[in-house]
Amino acid sequence: MRLIPSGDVRLALFEEGERENPTILLVHGYPDTHRVWDEVAGLLGDRYHVVRYDVRGAGQSGAPYDRRHYSFDHLAADLGAVLDEIGKPRVHLVGHDWGSLQCWEAIGRPGIRERAASFTTFGGPGLDQAAHFLRYGGRREVAGQLARSWYIGAFQLPVLPELAWRGPLPRALARSMRLAEGIEPRPGHPAGTLKRDGHNGLALYRQNFFTRLRAPADPGVEVPVQLIETSRDIFVSPKLLASMRQWAPEFWHRRLAAGHWAQRSHPEAVARMIAEFAAHVDGGASTRSLRRDRVREGRGAYQDRLVVITGAGSGIGRATARAFAAHGAEVVCADLDREAAMRVAEDIGKDFRRTAHAVQLDVASTTAMEEFAGNIAAQYGVPDVVVNNAGIAVAGPFLDHSLDDWRRTLDVNLWGVIHGCRLFARQMAERGEGGHIVNIASLAAFVATRELPAYSTSKAAVKMLGDCLRAELAGHGIGVTTVCPGFVSTAIARNATYVGSDLRELAELGLQRRGYPPERVAAHILRAVHRNEAVVPVNAEGKIGYAMSRISPSAMRAFARLSGVVRNPVVGR
């Protein structure tokens, strides 16, 4: 640590890593100090020259006597003094909360914008950008952001905010961090100077907010900008953040399932995003997630996303693989039939000029699924979407089902889904950038039939699994959708095992006459992922069956007693 002069204060400057490495400058927010970055700085220090400083009035830096010297002009001058001390022509800026606000302001100024190689922002938009949103945003969106920003008005009151910082506010802040974000206080954060820092920093709001909002400057900047949207940040609305993409010619909008202090709760993910972006701006290759999150006109809905689909060799799986590829995704087509998977992957390359991979996979095998998930992450990265589609059917009365029929059905239809969920959900959660899991169930999940006891049991379990996972994984930003098709014209009836009477021909004919193509199911799947829907019944019988199962379960039980193979050849796919 060393002190450097900047106008009427001396700033406490901290450096880590080799000075020969590219420099990343981390700017903290209010009421933090440079110590909020401890974990992230430690993760970056082996590859980068990491610089932090306490802003004026915080931590070990001096505080100006004149409260007017907390204005953006003085904050920008402080940043310029730090850049002068670093002595490099270009550095990568990272700002959080108020650090983000002052960096937005500074990178538009001559003398600083030329030295900013890139800017990573989270936890706080620029005031010029916010002013434009408040003037021209939708009425509901603006009202939502104003409700989140109530504390800004409170900070304008005389005396009361100062008393709050001397009284209950420090304890309330620590309690909020613990309960809302799972962050335990540690040495350095919250800082030992918190009461003084909170008191001093009130001038940041009083000297800048309403002055700038009344007379905003040009919001546009010339620096490549990476926005990290933390999904549980209670202070900034997604609509405001989404509006910021128009102000930078090169803009990446990345998402992290975290709260306001993401650098504390998810330091590995934050450090990785900062490093990926800085390396790319410096001329390195773009990672998949950077390509995925680059904001550009004309991008496909799933451009550069990695989608894994089991049972992709035919039917719904094949149609879904092609639909995702048509919208820009890179697809992994997994199927027990390797040749079928290869045909689908080759057709995707020919028809859509997209990358597709074929993998032979037995979803019923724990070992095979674990190897498959590990290989996917190692070779292609963590998937953005996983569709657990592989399934089989055994048709016939319960008393004609053998133990092997039950084991095989549950191994594929239920355990295959469990394996896919547990393995890929863990990868998605550890990555921290969210994702989506789609489990293909069936009308049979909620419509009982005498002729499909094992199949219906497995699909009902898949639906309940989806409900449980959706509740648990929401906190990680991972959506879970259970798709329940009715009768679909696929080969499932032809490939089913029949016990008791063999009604294969009748079942095949029934699905053929239904005439509901798997491509329409695929369209429902893509729409469900986009909307993050929980349960999606597909086609008329699927929707009617789902509604009736909720309205009158007794009527559905009566239907089950009357149902037979002739009227109900293979419920679902």
Side-chain angles (χ1 to χ4, degrees), residues 12 93 116 136 171-172 204 243 245 473 478 489-490:
L93 290 178
Y136 302 108
R171 291 191 299 275
L204 295 170
S243 72
R245 65 184 62 184
L473 298 179
I478 302 170
S489 301
T490 70

Side-chain angles (χ1 to χ4, degrees), residues 151 167 186 212 215 234 276 311 332 361 425 498 548 556 568:
Y151 62 95
R186 57 147 171 83
R212 181 49 59 90
I234 63 173
E276 286 178 351
V332 177
L361 176 67
Y498 294 83
M548 289 300 298
M556 299 308 294
N568 204 5

Side-chain angles (χ1 to χ4, degrees), residues 67 100 160 320 397:
R67 308 294 281 179
S100 176
L160 290 179
T320 303

Side-chain angles (χ1 to χ4, degrees), residues 356-393:
H357 313 278
V359 180
Q360 185 175 25
L361 176 67
D362 180 3
V363 299
S365 169
T366 302
T367 301
M369 283 295 291
E370 289 177 347
E371 291 179 355
F372 172 68
N375 290 337
I376 292 298
Q379 296 179 37
Y380 312 120
V382 176
D384 299 293
V385 181
V386 173
V387 182
N388 293 303
N389 166 73
I392 62 172

Side-chain angles (χ1 to χ4, degrees), residues 16-17 62 148 173 193 280 288-289 449 543:
E16 298 166 68
R148 290 171 180 254
L173 178 66
T193 55
H280 175 59
R288 177 190 300 281
S289 58
T449 170
K543 295 175 182 178

